[in-house]
Amino acid sequence: MNLLPKPRSIRPGAGTLASDLARPEVRLGAPGLGPQAYRLAVTPEKAVIEAGDAAGAFYARTTLSQLARGGSVPAVTIEDSPDFLERGVMLDVSRDKVPTMATLYRLVDELASWKINRLQLYMEHTFAYRAHRDVWANASPFTGDEIEALDAYCRERFIELVPNQNSFGHMERWLKLPRYAPLAEVAEPQGDYMSLCPIDPRSLSLLAGLYDELLPHFTSRSFNVGCDETIDLGKGRSKEEALRLGVGPVYLAFLEKIHALVAARGRRMQFWGDIVLEHPELISSLPKDVLALEWGYEADHPFDDEGARFADAGIEYQVVPGTSAWLSLGGRTTNALGNLSAAARAGRAHGATGMMVTDWGDFGHWQPLPVSYLGLAYGAAVAWGLDANRDLDVPAMLDTFVFSDGARVMGRVAYDLGEVYRLTGVAVKNASVLALLLLFPERPLGEGRLAGLTVEGLERARAGVDAAIAPLSRARSNRDDAATIAAELDLAAALMRHACDRGIARLTGTSQAALGDELRGIIDEYERIWRLRNREGGLVDSVGRLKRLL
């Protein structure tokens, strides 16, 4: 039985249920069933749900709905419970896509159907803070009323909307403006990174004001303050303090001050664990009520080693893999499946209390939403039940539970587009080399992450794109946005082809001028498709990275 997530205990019976399943008999507080667990019994006469709590009953109804997709339901008894009580998704809404409310509502429905129960919107500058209009003026930000409406919509589907505001690193959208520049650790960005100066008390004053305005719009008592990738720490205004105490202690001191702000507002602090993992001697000094988020996005990420460090120090933590969609154009299927299953396995082994799947938008958020569905849905499956879902037929799962494609086409197209990156023969961390060819046209092909490219490898990749996308016209999805999904997958394929063509032209010394008309058509389609799911803010920045190739 191909359920998503797939129950680990199924006892089939004879016959099918032909009557209306909209009103199954529900019994709450069933003995022997813990939080979110359920027992679903379907007979030819009725469906009976027993659950430990209301969430378990909701998930039983979800399974019943999945069973009913074929038109009739087999007589069956299912006993099920999650590996992780917290199963989350985090969407990047700051680089550069800010989805419309309609897009978010649809996605919340999809996530709930996959038994996801946490959602975060990664924010740097995309909340409409009243006192900071200059930061978000061109970003089409979320308003407090929109957050409250989304919060309520999530709660109805047993999803907790967790507030998120990066509070240390990744503040470049703020610190590049003259008004906030005095709060920066360094005067110039370190690549694309800028951090608040941790020894400037005005940094804490800024954060206190942001928290006071943001948090009341959420009912969740958790709060993710970020604090990752502070690569410029100790290189600017805090250099003397870092030389005296060490970079790690300077980081921890500021983290403790942020924790005090969060605690004073009645919230529990979540934070990214990458920096304290660089200074493992500090882990035991963390405030004991924090939740550390251990992120890693490669199939070989050391989830075991890092998770054990938090567990041994008595710090609650959760594993955070990703969709592998960002910086890829069409996805990285093999890496995504390996990364997600490895995180679930290690998290379960070391006592992680949850798993959150991230979908980032680095350097313009070029991947369309259908490219991310594979990682989001498979991640939901292994977070609910790793043993049952580790070896899912992923294309079939996507066709049944994501794309609703009776022709069994779209799932295979999405899967195969995500395998093209391997055909280049060049493996890079956290990206596909095809995306890098378009994002960094000034970089020499034989150096760094672009080393090893060959004409033959790019020709294989181009042929792989054509083979992957060719069946799309035979899809028969019954989703109301099926035409949009097809156009989005076509756009991903067009970007991948264009990257191959540019790489081949550079390697052979052929003029790239002939590619201009092709790129103009891609840009027009990119702008059209962007507006189908996303707000206008951010589009200029995102598409500008393509336009500079002209």
Side-chain angles (χ1 to χ4, degrees):
M1 188 176 297
N2 186 22
L3 286 179
L4 175 65
K6 185 177 180 182
R8 17 182 118 63
S9 176
I10 300 176
R11 296 194 297 273
T16 60
L17 177 68
S19 61
D20 182 14
L21 294 174
R23 294 183 178 86
E25 182 180 336
V26 179
R27 304 167 185 167
L28 293 181
L33 294 176
Q36 304 181 37
Y38 66 87
R39 185 180 299 113
L40 171 64
V42 179
T43 70
E45 292 76 30
K46 63 180 179 178
V48 177
I49 291 171
E50 295 179 302
D53 54 19
F58 178 83
Y59 297 134
R61 289 177 182 272
T62 296
T63 297
L64 188 59
S65 176
Q66 291 168 339
L67 286 166
R69 292 194 178 200
S72 62
V73 179
V76 66
T77 298
I78 298 171
E79 296 180 12
D80 205 7
S81 61
D83 284 353
F84 296 103
L85 289 179
E86 295 191 15
R87 303 170 303 281
V89 163
M90 195 211 71
L91 302 176
D92 187 346
V93 299
S94 295
R95 283 102 46 96
D96 289 298
K97 285 179 180 171
V98 180
T100 63
M101 295 302 290
T103 297
L104 285 176
Y105 289 146
R106 175 192 287 273
L107 186 58
V108 166
D109 287 337
E110 291 172 323
L111 296 178
S113 77
W114 307 334
K115 302 182 173 73
I116 289 293
N117 65 357
R118 296 291 188 277
L119 175 63
Q120 296 191 27
L121 304 179
Y122 171 75
M123 289 187 186
E124 294 175 1
H125 68 298
T126 48
F127 181 78
Y129 292 106
R130 290 188 298 270
H132 306 285
R133 173 178 287 272
D134 44 345
V135 174
W136 53 259
N138 298 316
S140 300
F142 294 103
T143 66
D145 288 344
E146 288 174 327
I147 291 296
E148 291 179 17
L150 181 63
D151 188 284
Y153 196 84
C154 287
R155 290 200 311 276
E156 292 171 357
R157 290 150 182 82
F158 291 87
I159 292 176
E160 181 178 324
L161 183 66
V162 177
N164 182 307
Q165 172 61 64
N166 220 335
S167 305
F168 197 171
H170 288 288
M171 294 291 285
E172 53 271 14
R173 299 272 193 170
W174 295 75
L175 301 176
K176 69 181 182 180
L177 300 175
R179 177 182 171 189
Y180 307 97
L183 302 182
E185 166 70 8
V186 296
E188 296 293 334
Q190 307 289 294
D192 285 303
Y193 301 91
M194 287 189 80
S195 301
L196 288 170
C197 177
I199 62 172
D200 190 330
R202 294 174 299 176
S203 295
L204 283 175
S205 296
L206 171 67
L207 295 177
L210 300 185
Y211 299 170
D212 283 339
E213 185 169 351
L214 178 69
L215 294 178
H217 299 290
F218 295 81
T219 56
S220 171
R221 307 317 295 173
S222 296
F223 178 30
N224 185 351
V225 298
C227 299
D228 60 318
E229 296 188 313
T230 54
I231 66 171
D232 50 355
L233 180 61
K235 297 179 180 178
R237 297 168 60 201
S238 70
K239 184 175 182 178
E240 183 176 331
E241 190 79 349
L243 289 172
R244 185 172 68 87
L245 299 176
V247 172
V250 172
Y251 177 88
L252 179 61
F254 192 58
L255 195 72
E256 289 173 334
K257 293 175 182 177
I258 293 174
H259 173 264
L261 293 179
V262 174
R265 286 153 181 82
R267 311 285 170 140
R268 184 187 183 192
M269 189 177 89
Q270 301 180 4
F271 76 105
W272 300 117
D274 56 312
I275 303 301
V276 295
L277 284 167
E278 294 176 3
H279 306 275
E281 71 280 1
L282 300 179
I283 295 177
S284 60
S285 298
L286 289 167
K288 295 306 180 185
D289 64 338
V290 299
L291 176 65
L293 302 172
E294 183 214 352
W295 62 267
Y297 305 131
E298 294 299 309
D300 61 355
H301 183 78
F303 284 111
D304 280 302
D305 292 343
E306 294 183 351
R309 291 178 182 175
F310 287 119
D312 291 347
I315 298 297
E316 184 179 339
Y317 85 103
Q318 297 187 359
V319 286
V320 184
T323 63
S324 298
W326 61 95
L327 290 174
S328 74
L329 304 179
R332 295 191 295 148
T333 296
T334 293
N335 186 77
L337 302 182
N339 176 236
L340 291 160
S341 59
R345 182 201 56 75
R348 195 173 63 175
H350 297 284
T353 59
M355 173 168 157
M356 180 168 67
V357 181
T358 57
D359 192 47
W360 296 101
D362 301 46
F363 295 98
H365 212 143
W366 281 357
Q367 76 274 12
L369 181 59
V371 170
S372 299
Y373 274 139
L374 182 149
L376 294 174
Y378 181 79
V382 296
W384 178 272
L386 174 63
D387 294 337
N389 292 305
R390 188 196 317 258
D391 299 320
L392 276 176
D393 180 342
V394 174
M397 173 267 287
L398 291 171
D399 282 324
T400 302
F401 300 109
V402 180
F403 297 127
S404 299
D405 183 8
R408 303 282 178 173
V409 168
M410 280 184 169
R412 174 55 64 182
V413 169
Y415 187 101
D416 288 349
L417 277 178
E419 288 290 73
V420 168
Y421 77 105
R422 303 173 69 193
L423 299 176
T424 64
V426 176
V428 295
K429 296 286 188 182
N430 209 30
S432 160
V433 71
L434 298 182
L436 301 183
L437 280 168
L438 298 184
L439 282 166
F440 306 110
E442 71 285 353
R443 293 185 180 178
L445 291 184
E447 300 177 10
R449 303 176 86 189
L450 297 180
L453 273 175
T454 64
V455 171
E456 293 76 19
L458 290 170
E459 287 176 342
R460 283 195 305 270
R462 198 188 195 290
V465 174
D466 291 340
I469 202 68
L472 187 58
S473 61
R474 302 200 305 270
R476 295 294 179 268
S477 170
N478 63 13
R479 288 177 56 131
D480 60 8
D481 65 343
T484 297
I485 290 174
E488 289 170 319
L489 292 171
D490 272 330
L491 175 63
L495 285 165
M496 295 167 77
R497 285 194 204 97
H498 191 76
C500 292
D501 290 343
R502 282 196 174 267
I504 291 169
R506 290 183 63 186
L507 287 168
T508 59
T510 306
S511 172
Q512 299 179 49
L515 299 174
D517 288 342
E518 175 183 278
L519 181 57
R520 290 184 184 91
I522 290 173
I523 288 172
D524 288 345
E525 183 69 351
Y526 185 92
E527 292 177 329
R528 183 186 77 83
I529 287 177
W530 177 287
R531 294 183 173 102
L532 296 178
R533 297 195 193 273
N534 306 291
R535 308 179 190 206
E536 194 74 12
L539 176 56
V540 170
D541 287 347
S542 180
V543 79
R545 298 178 184 273
L546 286 173
K547 288 182 175 180
R548 72 189 183 116
L549 292 169
L550 293 173

